[in-house]
């Protein structure tokens, strides 16, 4: 239900989490140079929080506020979200 992205991950391919219908959270190491979370929300962003890369399809909160500095949301970011 959760995926942890360690500091060693440099590239996450398109649709890497496709089919992960029970995914509730994506936790990124604070030492990762390419990816991050915003205020511990467990959503996958680029390092500078300007792009949402993946929103967990079974995210455990009903409301989600997109951070103000987001400039891009990748295609299919919210695909198959259950809530």
């Amino acid at each position: 239900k959760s995926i942890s992205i360690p500091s060693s991950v440099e590239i996450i391919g398109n649709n890497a989490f496709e089919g992960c219908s029970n995914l509730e959270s994506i936790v990124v190491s604070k030492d990762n140079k390419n990816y991050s979370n915003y205020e511990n929300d467990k959503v996958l962003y680029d390092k500078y929080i300007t792009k949402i890369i993946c929103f967990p399809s079974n995210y455990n909160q009903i409301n989600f506020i997109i951070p103000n500095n987001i400039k891009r949301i990748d295609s299919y970011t919210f695909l198959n979200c259950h809530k």
Side-chain angles (χ1 to χ4, degrees):
K1 293 190 179 194
S2 179
I3 293 176
S4 295
I5 309 292
S7 61
S8 59
V9 173
E10 296 178 5
I11 297 173
I12 297 174
N14 293 335
N15 304 320
F17 305 108
E18 185 176 359
C20 296
S21 59
N22 291 324
L23 186 60
E24 294 177 359
S25 64
I26 301 170
V27 180
V28 181
S29 166
K30 294 188 186 311
D31 297 324
N32 190 292
K33 294 179 182 174
N34 298 303
Y35 302 101
S36 63
N37 296 120
Y38 178 73
E39 294 183 357
N40 202 30
D41 67 6
K42 299 182 174 72
V43 173
L44 181 62
Y45 301 89
D46 68 320
K47 185 63 179 181
Y48 301 104
I49 320 224
T50 59
K51 176 171 72 168
I52 301 175
I53 297 168
C54 182
F55 188 88
S57 60
N58 202 22
Y59 194 70
N60 59 8
Q61 294 181 8
I62 294 173
N63 296 319
F64 174 72
I65 298 172
I66 295 173
N68 287 333
N69 47 325
I70 293 296
K71 297 186 181 349
R72 178 178 168 180
I73 298 173
D74 276 358
S75 300
Y76 308 109
T77 295
F78 297 102
L79 182 68
N80 296 321
C81 288
H82 297 280
K83 296 179 183 178

